[in-house]
Amino acid sequence: MDGLVPAIVQDAISGKVLMQGYMNEEAVAKTKESGMVTFFSRSKNRLWTKGETSGNFIELVSMTSDCDGDSILVKANPRGPVCHTGSDTCFEEVNTSKTGFIDQLRAIIKDRKTNPTDTSYTASLFAKGINKVAQKVGEEAVEIVIEAKDDNKELFMGEAADLLYHYLVLLEAKGYELDEVMDVLIDRHKKK
Ligand SMILES: [Zn+2]
């Protein structure tokens, strides 16, 4: 196909498929160099950086070719709606879920455990040991209970984030995966 391969663009956080375009070597190079996803447009017959007119650029996170090297998976962060119709994706899907960020956060937490740095709060928690981590989860749980009784969304969200973060640190400290918790939930759901 004249050196063109299909490039599938996936939201790096939500995992949603955003769009598909074609890339040649130049488009791949331009994408890497600029950090903005760039295709070869067959209708324009030139390189086309997505967002060059709309301002809705797609920021590159990573690019990998598939098993036999005839397509590219681009993981990226869209700055706005991807489709020219104004839709979040070219497949008319809503792309609002950010829960995929939990996996990125877990990877960071795991990294802080294996490669601790002096400035990392997460690394300092691991250094203090399991009792301290578990105690923090207890404290954050009490704090969210207190905020739940009030009506301040900002404070409640702060505590909700603290609890989720420390819960993930506790799982990592125990050497367990969030997937194992999901297995328990999936299993319970099956029995009903
Ligand atoms: Zn579209």
Side-chain angles (χ1 to χ4, degrees):
M1 280 200 303
D2 299 330
L4 292 182
V5 292
I8 299 151
V9 186
Q10 181 184 34
D11 188 299
I13 294 174
S14 71
K16 276 267 156 74
V17 175
L18 298 173
M19 67 177 292
Q20 186 251 311
Y22 290 90
M23 284 185 178
N24 56 11
E25 263 180 56
E26 268 185 288
V28 169
K30 179 88 192 284
T31 299
K32 281 185 185 160
E33 173 203 309
S34 66
M36 298 297 162
V37 176
T38 300
F39 302 99
F40 182 84
S41 164
R42 292 177 302 170
S43 53
K44 296 178 176 74
N45 199 35
R46 62 167 173 85
L47 288 187
W48 166 62
T49 298
K50 168 78 187 85
E52 64 185 22
T53 45
S54 65
N56 293 326
F57 291 99
I58 303 179
E59 294 166 15
L60 175 70
V61 173
S62 67
M63 266 194 292
T64 40
S65 4
D66 74 351
C67 51
D68 49 9
D70 60 7
S71 70
I72 300 171
L73 178 64
V74 180
K75 296 199 183 195
N77 294 318
R79 280 194 191 166
V82 163
C83 189
H84 69 283
T85 61
S87 229
D88 285 352
T89 83
C90 280
F91 304 97
E92 281 201 40
E93 287 194 295
V94 178
N95 183 32
T96 50
S97 175
K98 292 179 180 145
T99 52
F101 178 67
I102 286 182
D103 288 331
Q104 289 186 22
L105 189 58
R106 285 173 53 230
I108 295 167
I109 290 169
K110 207 178 271 288
D111 182 63
R112 296 294 185 272
K113 189 184 175 192
T114 31
N115 306 302
T117 59
D118 292 345
T119 51
S120 160
Y121 171 70
T122 309
S124 76
L125 281 177
F126 286 126
K128 284 172 192 152
I130 194 81
N131 288 354
K132 183 68 190 172
V133 177
Q135 184 195 327
K136 281 299 294 179
V137 173
E139 285 170 14
E140 297 302 338
V142 170
E143 283 165 21
I144 197 175
V145 169
I146 293 166
E147 289 306 330
K149 290 163 161 293
D150 286 340
D151 251 339
N152 187 322
K153 184 179 177 183
E154 200 186 330
L155 292 179
F156 181 84
M157 284 302 159
E159 296 307 339
D162 286 349
L163 178 59
L164 183 55
Y165 159 78
H166 285 93
Y167 170 85
L168 293 174
V169 174
L170 180 61
L171 280 182
E172 187 58 45
K174 291 292 288 177
Y176 301 142
E177 296 294 332
L178 187 60
D179 272 355
E180 294 174 79
V181 181
M182 293 304 133
D183 284 340
V184 174
L185 289 171
I186 291 165
D187 212 43
R188 281 184 193 168
H189 189 71
K190 271 184 201 154
K191 280 172 194 157
K192 283 181 183 171

